[in-house]
Amino acid sequence: MSYIHFDKTQLINLNYSLEKEIIRSNRSGCYTSTTIIGCNTRKYHGLLVAPQPQIDTQLHVLLSNVHETVVQKGSSFNLGINKYPGNYSPRGHKYLEDYDSEPNPKLTYRVGGVVLEKEIILDTHADRVMIKYTLVSAQAPVTLRLSPFLAFRAYHGLSKANTFVNKNYLRADGGIKVKPYEAYSELSMQLSKPNEFIAAPDWYYNIEYIREIERGYDYQEDLYVPGYFEFDIETGESVVFSAGLEEANPHSLLDAFAEEVSRRIPRDNFENCLKNSATQFISRRGGETRVIAGYPWFGWWGRDTFIAVPGLTLTIGDQETYLEVMDTMSKDLVGALFPNVGSGVMTNMNSIDAPLWYFWALQQYVIFTGDEQTIKDRYLQKCKGIIDSLLEGTEFNIHTTPDGLLYGGQDGVALTWMDAVTKDGPVTQRAGCPVEINALWYNALCFYHQLSGDEQMAELAEQVKKSFVKSFWNEKKGYLADVVDGEEKDWSIRPNMVFATSLPYTMLTDDQKDRVLEVIKANLFTERGLRTLAPSDSRYQGYYQGNQYERDNAYHQGTVWPWLLGHFAEGYLKLHGKSGKRFIENVVKSFDKVMTQYGIGTVAEIYDGDPPHRPKGSISQAWSVGELLRMQYLINNY
């Protein structure tokens, strides 16, 4: 039995199996995602979700699903499953015997005397998904029919039946080519074995996505099925179905599938699952290398990239990808700011901390490799430009105060990572001098001095250090204010003060760090991450649920974030040494059980603040995975 495995009793229980999702991506920017039984529960689910740059900067669901029908002795058994109003149909999950994750997702169906295996994999570098069917055993001749369900729409939207869909198709070697709408790329659907395509164009109406119902979004769509492929399959034979944006050679599909399997990091233990997941966030397209912030609905984000990229790359020795990402991101720098949202029409620059995390990410390269010269040669001038621009002042009222602290704030704009905004405005605006921003500011000044020898930066850093302790520290309370704005101080117990204990350059004494960490441990620490607000606070929300307005109001008001554990662990280890190692080891090991929850083999974006800390948000988040890998590295190399 493999590390990740589900048996028949689990698979046929829809309350159980529909909560388990698969997400696999490739380096060209595509992904495939569904539940472990193949029933789509989100509008973001699909077997081929790919960029369509000629249309926009979003991903698009092209091939939503494929339903298989086993025909034997004149009887037909449909292995697919969709959710319709009031029922699931055709309920093919009842034939499932087994789900195995090694070396790639594999479903085993048993229909009478027929045992059929189905494996799914993405081409690493092409916009293509491949599905391999293997007939393990059969007591009589078997015919297999494959019905492709097409969406051809942006992944934030839904498809509706219409009269202008193009029902024509062209023949391709081993299959057909379709282009339902003129703006889209052509989709080639082919098989490795000679087959017959029977044109039977039809719409399937009111397919429902139960996760969208929960999230308060539109949840019904109509999918177009152009017909079905039919072929006989022999016992022991494997046949590959391919759907891609370029025509494939059907005669090489079996070899191509095997080659892709050989490239995969085996998901045979917890650490390998994290490493495998880490590679999923790297996208190379158009000469750029980006980090996707999370699947299935995030694009690339500046802040998330800098926080995640050391753990995703350097911990597994992939310095080349790290430098490619940093080179790509460095080109996006405008003054002191990076684009925060890098996908779609919402691109903006409203992140005060992204440029400061840029310094930290560069520091990590030096820490991991000892190679300071590469950072000097490639990025020193960028660092100088950021500091100069921040000292001069930039948009969103970002500037330094007379005592050297970094200030930011503009009505209606959330500049820190706690950036949820509703119709009422920012939920946690934090205008003024936020604690983590100034911890990062001090660290950036010290690191720049380390690289450049600029004594003016050392003097400014010393000023910031004195001002920080004077402004943020309260000896009686024993922790740091979350935001300082003149004489006003926000004493909410939030995790943002943890960075003053973990960064390479900090301004606190060991006693102050110890007291800060104890406050965090007593009020915010959970086995899934740090809460964003102490439960004793009247604004605390222990569950992340409801429509978007309700969820956004809970996002940073108690919800747990795993990525924060990386800095808690680093601060804790620096302070407690070997005596703290076992505690941090147990924290990391506790994530072993999440590998079979929510996003299979990966780590969610967030968790509920209250027990049992159920996973929420995106099913696979870059900085969750990256920081767990960095924690594991810190433990292994302590």
Side-chain angles (χ1 to χ4, degrees):
M1 185 183 297
S2 67
Y3 174 67
I4 297 176
H5 175 268
F6 301 100
D7 62 26
K8 183 177 182 65
T9 59
Q10 295 167 319
L11 294 167
I12 64 174
N13 180 351
L14 293 180
N15 290 330
Y16 179 89
S17 58
L18 291 181
E19 289 189 345
K20 319 295 181 185
E21 300 177 51
I22 309 164
I23 180 74
R24 309 297 290 165
S25 74
N26 69 2
R27 303 299 72 77
S28 74
C30 297
Y31 74 76
T32 183
S33 184
T34 183
T35 61
I36 58 173
I37 62 171
C39 179
N40 292 343
T41 58
R42 299 184 189 271
K43 60 188 175 185
Y44 301 100
H45 282 163
L47 293 180
L48 182 63
V49 185
Q52 290 288 277
Q54 75 279 14
I55 299 177
D56 55 29
T57 57
Q58 292 191 42
L59 291 169
H60 289 250
V61 180
L62 304 177
L63 178 63
S64 178
N65 215 331
V66 173
H67 281 195
E68 302 84 12
T69 302
V70 171
V71 182
Q72 187 184 53
K73 297 180 180 179
S75 298
S76 298
F77 305 90
N78 196 324
L79 309 185
I81 177 171
N82 284 329
K83 171 72 171 66
Y84 295 96
N87 71 297
Y88 289 87
S89 178
R91 303 186 70 84
H93 69 295
K94 65 185 179 183
Y95 302 119
L96 275 168
E97 288 283 310
D98 186 86
Y99 173 97
D100 205 319
S101 69
E102 227 4 73
N104 54 290
K106 179 167 64 177
L107 290 163
T108 301
Y109 295 88
R110 182 181 294 275
V111 184
V114 174
V115 177
L116 182 74
E117 291 179 349
K118 172 184 177 180
E119 302 172 71
I120 304 172
I121 206 161
L122 279 172
D123 190 308
T124 300
H125 301 294
D127 302 331
R128 179 187 317 283
V129 64
M130 293 181 284
I131 307 173
K132 185 171 79 170
Y133 299 96
T134 301
L135 185 61
V136 177
S137 63
Q139 298 175 348
V142 172
T143 297
L144 198 58
R145 292 177 185 158
L146 307 180
S147 301
F149 285 67
L150 307 181
F152 277 76
R153 44 87 175 168
Y155 73 158
H156 292 307
L158 290 168
S159 169
K160 296 296 181 181
N162 58 80
T163 58
F164 48 85
V165 65
N166 182 2
K167 297 181 179 180
N168 297 321
Y169 64 91
L170 297 174
R171 290 290 178 181
D173 191 3
I176 64 169
K177 294 185 285 188
V178 297
K179 191 175 183 180
Y181 308 106
E182 186 58 34
Y184 277 89
S185 301
E186 200 170 54
L187 181 67
S188 296
M189 295 182 287
Q190 301 164 271
L191 287 117
S192 61
K193 179 175 183 173
N195 64 90
E196 182 180 5
F197 176 73
I198 293 89
D202 203 0
W203 286 95
Y204 283 67
Y205 298 94
N206 298 324
I207 293 172
E208 295 186 344
Y209 301 123
I210 59 176
R211 298 293 165 251
E212 305 308 326
I213 298 175
E214 294 171 357
R215 288 163 54 83
Y217 296 126
D218 291 340
Y219 58 90
Q220 286 185 341
E221 86 166 332
D222 310 324
L223 294 175
Y224 173 66
V225 177
Y228 58 91
F229 301 89
E230 185 172 277
F231 56 93
D232 295 333
I233 184 169
E234 304 292 330
T235 300
E237 183 180 16
S238 294
V239 178
V240 172
F241 168 85
S242 164
L245 301 188
E246 292 183 357
E247 192 171 342
N249 177 0
H251 308 292
S252 64
L253 285 175
L254 281 165
D255 290 338
F257 193 98
E259 183 180 351
E260 288 299 332
V261 171
S262 70
R263 290 175 173 164
R264 300 301 187 264
I265 297 172
R267 292 191 289 176
D268 52 4
N269 59 52
F270 170 63
E271 192 166 354
N272 274 351
C273 278
L274 291 180
K275 291 177 180 179
N276 190 303
S277 182
T279 66
Q280 303 285 305
F281 300 104
I282 306 300
S283 171
R284 292 182 171 92
R285 201 175 186 98
E288 297 181 337
T289 304
R290 303 277 188 188
V291 172
I292 304 302
Y295 289 107
W297 52 74
F298 284 97
W300 65 265
W301 292 55
R303 173 192 296 118
D304 297 53
T305 294
F306 299 136
I307 293 171
V309 71
L312 297 180
T313 60
L314 299 178
T315 62
I316 58 178
D318 190 0
Q319 298 166 20
E320 181 180 353
T321 297
Y322 168 91
L323 292 172
E324 288 176 5
V325 170
M326 296 305 288
D327 284 347
T328 296
M329 294 298 297
S330 295
K331 295 174 185 176
D332 297 327
L333 180 65
V334 179
L337 303 178
F338 290 92
N340 190 35
V341 180
S343 177
V345 297
M346 296 176 61
T347 301
N348 60 54
M349 310 288 284
N350 64 342
S351 173
I352 189 175
D353 52 347
L356 304 175
W357 282 114
Y358 179 76
F359 283 83
W360 178 83
L362 296 175
Q363 269 178 308
Q364 295 304 303
Y365 183 84
V366 176
I367 291 169
F368 273 83
T369 68
D371 178 10
E372 193 174 279
Q373 193 60 47
T374 294
I375 301 302
K376 289 181 180 179
D377 293 344
R378 296 169 82 143
Y379 309 110
L380 186 59
Q381 288 307 305
K382 295 288 186 181
C383 292
K384 183 178 188 304
I386 290 171
I387 291 175
D388 288 346
S389 294
L390 290 175
L391 290 174
E392 292 170 7
T394 185
E395 57 185 315
F396 306 115
N397 196 22
I398 298 172
H399 62 273
T400 54
T401 63
D403 56 2
L405 297 178
L406 197 56
Y407 183 103
Q410 179 176 305
D411 288 345
V413 179
L415 295 175
T416 72
W417 80 277
M418 291 186 163
D419 56 0
V421 178
T422 70
K423 61 184 180 182
D424 303 325
V427 179
T428 49
Q429 185 165 10
R430 305 180 71 227
C433 299
V435 63
E436 82 279 14
I437 300 306
N438 283 280
L440 286 162
W441 174 229
Y442 173 74
N443 179 66
L445 293 171
C446 292
F447 182 56
Y448 183 75
H449 172 254
Q450 174 188 327
L451 295 177
S452 67
D454 187 334
E455 289 304 321
Q456 285 186 316
M457 291 299 105
E459 293 173 7
L460 178 56
E462 186 61 26
Q463 180 190 18
V464 172
K465 178 178 181 178
K466 292 177 181 177
S467 300
F468 181 91
V469 175
K470 180 181 178 181
S471 298
F472 288 92
W473 177 254
N474 183 291
E475 182 66 24
K476 185 176 180 180
K477 293 179 183 293
Y479 66 94
L480 299 166
D482 190 58
V483 182
V484 172
D485 188 1
E487 294 302 313
E488 295 185 16
K489 299 184 181 184
D490 180 0
W491 291 105
S492 303
I493 298 177
R494 295 189 182 276
N496 303 305
M497 57 183 161
V498 75
F499 304 106
T501 74
S502 64
L503 294 171
Y505 292 101
T506 67
M507 52 283 261
L508 300 184
T509 65
D510 282 352
D511 178 66
Q512 289 169 330
K513 293 176 189 175
D514 186 33
R515 295 177 70 184
V516 166
L517 288 171
E518 285 305 307
V519 168
I520 290 172
K521 190 176 178 183
N523 293 275
L524 306 176
F525 176 82
T526 77
E527 65 175 6
R528 291 293 165 262
L530 301 186
R531 294 185 179 98
T532 40
L533 188 64
S536 58
D537 195 295
S538 61
R539 297 164 297 173
Y540 174 80
Q541 296 192 41
Y543 295 97
Y544 179 83
Q545 59 191 10
N547 59 33
Q548 184 171 353
Y549 177 80
E550 294 167 327
R551 287 181 283 112
D552 283 345
N553 273 296
Y555 209 31
H556 301 108
Q557 299 286 56
T559 297
V560 166
W561 294 73
W563 78 272
L564 296 167
L565 280 176
H567 287 270
F568 176 82
E570 190 167 13
Y572 200 87
L573 287 171
K574 284 179 178 178
L575 192 65
H576 294 285
K578 289 184 178 179
S579 64
K581 184 179 177 182
R582 177 61 61 87
F583 172 63
I584 300 302
E585 280 181 327
N586 289 336
V587 172
V588 175
K589 287 179 181 176
S590 74
F591 277 85
D592 179 86
K593 66 184 70 171
V594 312
M595 294 295 103
T596 54
Q597 299 173 355
Y598 208 48
I600 303 306
T602 187
V603 186
E605 175 192 11
I606 52 177
Y607 291 79
D608 282 333
D610 283 352
H613 306 299
R614 289 177 61 85
K616 299 290 177 68
S618 76
I619 63 173
S620 181
Q621 196 75 4
W623 58 13
S624 298
V625 173
E627 282 298 87
L628 274 170
L629 279 168
R630 200 170 68 85
M631 288 173 67
Q632 187 68 63
Y633 183 90
L634 289 171
I635 293 167
N636 292 343
N637 294 275
Y638 184 76

